């Protein structure tokens, strides 16, 4: 069948290959292997580029085996189908799985996705919330500024779930272009706590002075998860956040001092962690001791590697 379907010469042969993706064969009851299905899957991936429309239709087939294995075949084919995949992003049943495959191909596919975002943006309140959420989530799988820029306008979307998705995706991207939105989100207590925690973590990677100030402020957040994420973000920023960590250790708020002691674990030098060991609060001292151990262990590992 694969030889017959090669080069787009036999549509019926390819359609039969797709049907064989749900073959009931089982080679071993114990191992539950499916050699016929596996052979069909490999064959579909081998010749499927010649039947893009049929293959993409199969990606939403009601039969789970056909649907899942067809998606695997599309993923295996990859870049040669990127334009065809992008043309199907208007289909709600295919948007998420095809978007995931497009993101796995690389940033070269971003220009193929952005027109759909612009279309939703132009529709304003009449836009499809589900489509916005899926498209923004797709862009969040890239790690480049080109993916962040198209979703920035959605930070003012009337739908809270869309605004939260923007924050989460910008946090995943982790580029400085999204820093202002992440800083704003971190400071807004009416924003979803999980999104704010994600923002704090991302700001640690961005590590600008403004990001450091936002994380310092969040150390006293009413939500413990957000406060912990801010401490982890400062630790992630490392030496770039040393002034904010020092300020945290000098705070009158014991919660902030504790988070500051946690954050000293990300520094290259043990000075601030050692200073925190002199705190009057035993909890801060204990945390500082753990952080100091992390700093010294990392320093020793680096010295050993250099030697």
């Amino acid at each position: 069948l694969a030889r017959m379907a090669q080069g787009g010469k036999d549509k019926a042969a390819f359609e039969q290959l797709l049907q064989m993706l749900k073959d009931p064969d089982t080679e071993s009851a114990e191992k539950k292997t499916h050699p016929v299905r596996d052979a069909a899957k490999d064959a579909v991936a081998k010749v499927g580029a010649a039947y893009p429309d049929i293959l993409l239709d199969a990606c939403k087939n009601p039969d789970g085996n056909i649907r899942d294995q067809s998606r695997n075949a599309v993923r295996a084919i990859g870049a040669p189908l990127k334009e065809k995949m992008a043309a199907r992003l208007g289909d709600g049943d295919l948007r998420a799985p095809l978007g995931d495959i497009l993101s796995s191909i690389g940033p070269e596919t971003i220009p193929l996705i952005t027109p759909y975002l612009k279309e939703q943006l132009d529709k304003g309140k009449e836009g499809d919330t589900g489509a916005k959420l899926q498209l923004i989530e797709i862009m969040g799988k890239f790690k480049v500024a080109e993916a962040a820029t198209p979703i920035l306008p959605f930070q003012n979307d009337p739908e809270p779930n869309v605004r939260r998705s923007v924050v989460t995706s910008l946090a995943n991207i982790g580029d400085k272009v999204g820093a202002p939105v992440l800083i704003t989100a971190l400071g807004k207590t009416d924003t979803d706590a999980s999104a704010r925690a994600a923002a704090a973590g991302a700001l640690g990677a961005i590590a600008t002075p403004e990001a450091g100030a936002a994380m310092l402020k969040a150390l006293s957040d009413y939500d413990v998860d957000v406060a912990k994420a801010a401490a982890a973000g400062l630790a992630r920023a490392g030496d770039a956040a040393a002034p904010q960590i020092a300020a945290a250790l000098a705070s009158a708020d014991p919660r902030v001092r504790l988070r500051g002691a946690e954050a000293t674990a990300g520094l290259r030098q043990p000075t601030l962690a050692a200073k925190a060991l002199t705190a009057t609060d035993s909890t801060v001292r204990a945390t500082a001791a753990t952080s100091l151990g992390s700093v010294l262990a990392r320093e020793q590992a680096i010295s050993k590697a250099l030697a």
Side-chain angles (χ1 to χ4, degrees), residues 18-31:
L18 290 173
Q19 290 302 310
M20 293 181 74
L21 293 175
K22 62 177 181 178
D23 194 279
D25 77 291
T26 301
E27 184 178 76
S28 166
E30 293 77 19
K31 295 182 180 179

Side-chain angles (χ1 to χ4, degrees), residues 257-271:
R257 294 198 300 273
L258 178 61
R259 302 303 178 208
E262 291 177 7
T264 59
L267 299 171
R268 285 187 295 178
Q269 299 297 324
T271 308

Side-chain angles (χ1 to χ4, degrees), residues 76-219:
I77 295 168
L81 285 181
K82 62 184 181 182
E83 284 85 6
K84 288 287 187 179
M85 283 189 273
R88 294 292 192 100
L89 290 178
D91 187 332
D93 293 328
L94 290 175
R95 188 180 297 114
L98 295 186
D100 181 61
I101 297 171
L102 286 168
S103 69
S104 71
I105 294 172
E108 67 190 76
T109 65
I110 292 176
L112 300 174
I113 302 169
T114 50
Y116 293 92
L117 278 163
K118 186 178 184 305
E119 178 184 351
Q120 292 300 324
L121 189 64
D122 291 342
K123 289 180 178 179
K125 293 182 179 180
E126 304 303 319
D128 183 338
T129 297
K132 293 177 188 177
L133 291 172
Q134 288 177 324
L135 290 166
I136 292 169
E137 182 180 348
I138 291 166
M139 298 303 265
K141 295 177 180 180
F142 296 95
K143 303 294 183 182
V144 293
E146 292 84 352
T149 302
I151 66 177
L152 290 177
F154 291 95
Q155 64 182 292
N156 300 316
D157 194 271
E159 173 57 49
N161 287 335
V162 173
R163 298 197 299 271
R164 180 167 57 247
S165 182
V166 170
V167 173
T168 303
S169 288
L170 289 176
N172 290 337
I173 294 169
D175 190 271
K176 290 181 180 180
V177 72
V181 177
L182 295 175
I183 290 171
T184 299
L186 181 56
K188 291 180 68 175
T189 56
D190 60 342
T191 302
D192 180 77
S194 61
R196 295 173 65 224
L203 289 171
I206 294 171
T208 60
E210 296 79 10
M215 289 183 287
L216 173 61
K217 185 177 180 181
L219 293 179

Side-chain angles (χ1 to χ4, degrees), residues 4-41:
M4 291 165 63
Q6 190 74 41
K9 295 178 292 186
D10 195 327
K11 174 183 172 182
F14 183 70
E15 290 175 336
Q16 183 60 44
L17 281 174
L18 290 173
Q19 290 302 310
M20 293 181 74
L21 293 175
K22 62 177 181 178
D23 194 279
D25 77 291
T26 301
E27 184 178 76
S28 166
E30 293 77 19
K31 295 182 180 179
K32 296 183 179 179
T33 55
H34 301 278
V36 175
R37 276 190 226 167
D38 291 342
K41 177 190 69 176

Side-chain angles (χ1 to χ4, degrees), residues 267-300:
L267 299 171
R268 285 187 295 178
Q269 299 297 324
T271 308
L272 287 178
K275 179 180 179 181
L277 278 175
T278 65
T280 56
D281 189 322
S282 62
T283 306
V284 173
R285 293 200 305 275
T287 301
T290 301
S291 293
L292 182 58
S294 298
V295 174
L296 295 176
R298 184 167 59 250
E299 185 180 74
Q300 184 179 34

